Amino acid sequence: MADTVSEQATAATASTPAPTPATPAPEKAPGNVKEGSSTAEQGGVEGSGKECEGAIGGARRDPDIKKELGESDEEDEGEEDDEDYDYDEEEEDDDDEDQEGFMSMLQNFLMSRLHIGSHPDVPQVLESVSVEGMVQYLKSGQVKNVITMAGAGISTSAGIPDFRTPGTGLYSNLEKYKLPYPEAIFDIEYFKTNPKPFFVLARELYPGTFNPTPSHLFIKLLHDKGLLLRHYTQNIDTLEHVAGIPGDKLVEAHGTFRTSHCLTCHKEYTQEWMKEEIFQDKIPKCTGEECNGLVKPDIVFFRESLPLRFFQMTQVDFPKCDLLIILGTSLTVQPFAMLVDNVPATCPRLLVNREKAGSIDPMVALLQGMANPGGLTLDSPHNKRDVVLLGECDEGCAKLADMLGWKEDFEKLLPASK
Ligand code: OAD
Ligand code: ZN
């Protein structure tokens, strides 16, 4: 596993044993970062388990595939009748849809034939690969070790921006800092030459001024129910602590603001000391004798190592995991994103997010010659264990609590988030 943090173009690389630490490049700016979600348009809340048979190469589509794409025979006949009509805009749209449909069909075919994103011999644990199936599995008593993995999306309803949502994400709103590229604000080499932008931002988003969200409290509820093995977070806003999740249940993969260190002599500083420096608009400098080194909160920057605890705990926890719940993350930053591949091959994985994330585009996998590219298999025809609950995390968590029969317990926790 890579020991420095890096941004990866797709979740495909999640299965690469040692991804090279990447310097975030300007072309990887928000919106351009190629995420791992598949192009197959399935929508809804659940992964697909349908097989796609032999439609490749012919202009006509297999009836099963048509059904999956929501098309009817009449539509096809209509297309034939309309052959000589002028090409107006509507028809162009139809053409685009046709093309998308064909690409999706082609992808399914390739995934099916080449067993991309599938584990053909692995038994299915879920009775149905759906949110209902996940809930049923949780209720069955078989689940003892839930791991939750989270990103900035669980904190946006608290008023903290995420990173990559176009328009509102942090990386879309850094013009005033005149950075060479947005991720530079968290790049250790850039920080050493120009720490000011980071400290200005740190003042704006200083932890301690926000409240936990219902999503944090749902994770706390999993702990209260005795089901939470560990919560892995990329967030540095400390809201998991505020929500009452005990420190030993947390792995702060991208570090913490609670301590700081001098980059030169490694002298440690407290959160109070750092807070005072930040709120006095100072660039924190080491007070050690003749040092004057730059002091940085212990959050993980690009090209820095993750905390030792991350590597120690992942090795112990992930083999034991019997349900992985991933919330509010684009799964684009390594090595965190590749953790989804560290659970046992049968382990169900539930993604609660505004959009699909962490899946490999089957075409990319094919082009890169990857038989088993890793990542979530949400759109694979062989998907036996991955489900996405699309929408707001808070709503997804409330829905899960409701379906699990935990509504009352969940609501008891909620006032703490207001
Ligand atoms: P991103 O901004 O990359 O992704 C956040 C994800 O959450 C996106 O898929 C959003 O659509 C989704 N999202 C946002 N708000 C949501 C909501 N209310 N409900 C549901 N989904 C929501 O943030 P991360 O994945 O956390 O690292 O980013 C990972 C790392 O990249 C960060 O830890 C940070 C950053 O660079 C470092 O700086 C080292
Ligand atoms: Zn020092």
Side-chain angles (χ1 to χ4, degrees), residues 167-206:
T168 57
L170 198 60
Y171 291 150
S172 305
N173 291 290
L174 297 173
E175 294 85 5
K176 63 180 169 187
Y177 299 110
K178 306 215 173 336
L179 299 161
Y181 50 91
E183 290 87 343
I185 202 155
F186 297 119
D187 185 300
I188 191 64
E189 295 309 322
Y190 184 80
F191 176 80
K192 284 176 189 165
T193 58
N194 184 15
K196 183 85 185 159
F198 168 75
F199 284 113
V200 174
L201 181 72
R203 181 177 175 155
E204 242 174 77
L205 295 177
Y206 195 82

Side-chain angles (χ1 to χ4, degrees), residues 6-29:
S6 68
E7 190 166 340
Q8 300 288 334
T10 73
T13 42
S15 65
T16 317
T20 46
T23 307
E27 62 268 22
K28 286 186 178 175

Side-chain angles (χ1 to χ4, degrees), residues 94-293:
D94 283 353
D95 261 17
D96 286 349
E97 275 167 29
D98 269 7
Q99 212 169 344
E100 263 178 41
F102 179 73
M103 289 308 285
S104 157
M105 190 172 69
L106 181 63
Q107 284 171 355
N108 279 347
F109 176 82
L110 291 171
M111 288 170 96
S112 168
R113 286 290 174 276
L114 303 175
H115 289 283
I116 291 174
S118 72
H119 301 275
D121 305 325
V122 172
Q124 180 172 319
V125 169
L126 298 172
E127 270 194 32
S128 81
V129 186
S130 63
V131 174
E132 289 72 19
M134 285 284 175
V135 168
Q136 199 181 0
Y137 174 52
L138 249 170
K139 277 174 148 177
S140 72
Q142 296 172 70
V143 180
K144 308 267 186 251
N145 293 311
V146 178
I147 292 181
T148 46
M149 285 172 61
I154 65 165
S155 294
T156 52
S157 68
I160 305 169
D162 68 5
F163 295 89
R164 295 177 183 81
T165 293
T168 57
L170 198 60
Y171 291 150
S172 305
N173 291 290
L174 297 173
E175 294 85 5
K176 63 180 169 187
Y177 299 110
K178 306 215 173 336
L179 299 161
Y181 50 91
E183 290 87 343
I185 202 155
F186 297 119
D187 185 300
I188 191 64
E189 295 309 322
Y190 184 80
F191 176 80
K192 284 176 189 165
T193 58
N194 184 15
K196 183 85 185 159
F198 168 75
F199 284 113
V200 174
L201 181 72
R203 181 177 175 155
E204 242 174 77
L205 295 177
Y206 195 82
T209 38
F210 301 95
N211 291 320
T213 68
S215 303
H216 293 96
L217 296 169
F218 179 74
I219 299 163
K220 168 71 164 56
L221 186 57
L222 284 169
H223 167 64
D224 292 348
K225 298 280 178 193
L227 293 167
L228 186 70
L229 176 61
R230 210 82 57 196
H231 175 63
Y232 285 76
T233 185
Q234 296 168 96
N235 300 343
I236 50 164
D237 53 33
T238 69
L239 290 184
E240 285 93 351
H241 286 275
V242 186
I245 302 165
D248 66 324
K249 288 282 167 180
L250 289 179
V251 174
E252 295 169 309
H254 292 171
T256 171
F257 257 95
R258 282 194 304 281
T259 51
S260 296
H261 279 88
C262 167
L263 292 182
T264 309
C265 73
H266 307 292
K267 182 174 175 191
E268 186 167 309
Y269 290 85
T270 62
Q271 184 164 8
E272 293 67 42
W273 182 89
M274 177 55 79
K275 186 175 179 182
E276 219 173 297
E277 296 285 301
I278 289 175
F279 280 86
Q280 286 177 10
D281 285 332
K282 288 186 184 164
I283 302 293
K285 289 288 175 68
C286 183
T287 56
E289 221 170 291
E290 290 178 19
C291 181
N292 207 35

Side-chain angles (χ1 to χ4, degrees), residues 51 132 158 215 267 282 288 327 347 353 379 391:
E51 191 95 18
E132 289 72 19
S215 303
K267 182 174 175 191
K282 288 186 184 164
L327 306 110
C347 175
N353 208 42
D379 293 315

Side-chain angles (χ1 to χ4, degrees), residues 53-65:
E53 284 295 335
I56 195 169
R60 286 224 155 248
R61 293 174 189 168
D62 182 284
D64 281 347
I65 294 159

